[in-house]
Amino acid sequence: MANAVIILILIVVLLFALNGTIKHFKGEGACCGGGSGSGRRPRMKKEKKLSGPVIGKKTVQIKGMHCKNCVQSVTEAINGIEGASAKVSLKKGQAVVSFDREIDDDALYIAVEGAGFQVVSIEA
């Protein structure tokens, strides 16, 4: 009887863990400082406006983003570069960076990897 109770408790715990894992990888659960996972969306900042006309775009392929909080972290990191404005897609795993002056690829690497993610490639 005691063994049956222990097995039942383990099954319930595993179901909760599996449910949390599925939500995490869908980007719905608490992740990366996302809080309690209450379904609240992270506070998204307004899109950064560049001071000059856009002279080009680069696409940065990023590995390691799992949720909206990850997207916000990458967006803030890239937008911290003077002259750069990012639109980050969790689904595509990429950031499209518009710029009004030349932006060195190294600056993008440093910003994204400094936020805790891995740059796979940068394409002009």
Side-chain angles (χ1 to χ4, degrees), residues 94-116:
Q94 70 181 19
V96 176
V97 182
S98 301
F99 48 92
D100 63 4
R101 63 198 78 171
E102 284 302 318
I103 302 293
D104 189 40
D105 288 355
D106 289 340
L108 294 171
Y109 273 102
I110 291 168
V112 173
E113 296 200 354

Side-chain angles (χ1 to χ4, degrees), residues 25 45 51 56 60 64 102:
F25 285 108
K45 292 187 177 183
S51 60
V60 183
E102 284 302 318

Side-chain angles (χ1 to χ4, degrees), residues 24-35:
H24 172 81
F25 285 108
K26 283 181 165 180
E28 297 172 356
C31 171
C32 311

Side-chain angles (χ1 to χ4, degrees), residues 57-59 122-124:
K57 293 185 178 189
K58 294 184 180 187
T59 302
I122 299 177
E123 301 166 11

Side-chain angles (χ1 to χ4, degrees), residues 16-97:
F16 277 113
L18 181 62
N19 186 37
T21 301
I22 290 169
K23 281 185 174 184
H24 172 81
F25 285 108
K26 283 181 165 180
E28 297 172 356
C31 171
C32 311
S36 65
S38 61
R40 287 183 282 146
R41 298 181 68 146
R43 291 181 51 187
M44 301 300 269
K45 292 187 177 183
K46 292 181 182 177
E47 184 177 326
K48 180 180 175 184
K49 300 290 182 191
L50 298 174
S51 60
V54 174
I55 63 167
K57 293 185 178 189
K58 294 184 180 187
T59 302
V60 183
Q61 295 296 327
I62 301 166
K63 186 174 177 182
M65 294 190 300
H66 300 290
C67 67
K68 294 173 186 123
N69 293 303
C70 297
V71 168
Q72 184 65 22
S73 294
V74 171
T75 303
E76 289 176 1
I78 294 173
N79 286 350
I81 301 171
E82 193 169 327
S85 176
K87 288 188 180 180
V88 182
S89 170
L90 177 63
K91 187 175 183 177
K92 294 180 181 179
Q94 70 181 19
V96 176
V97 182

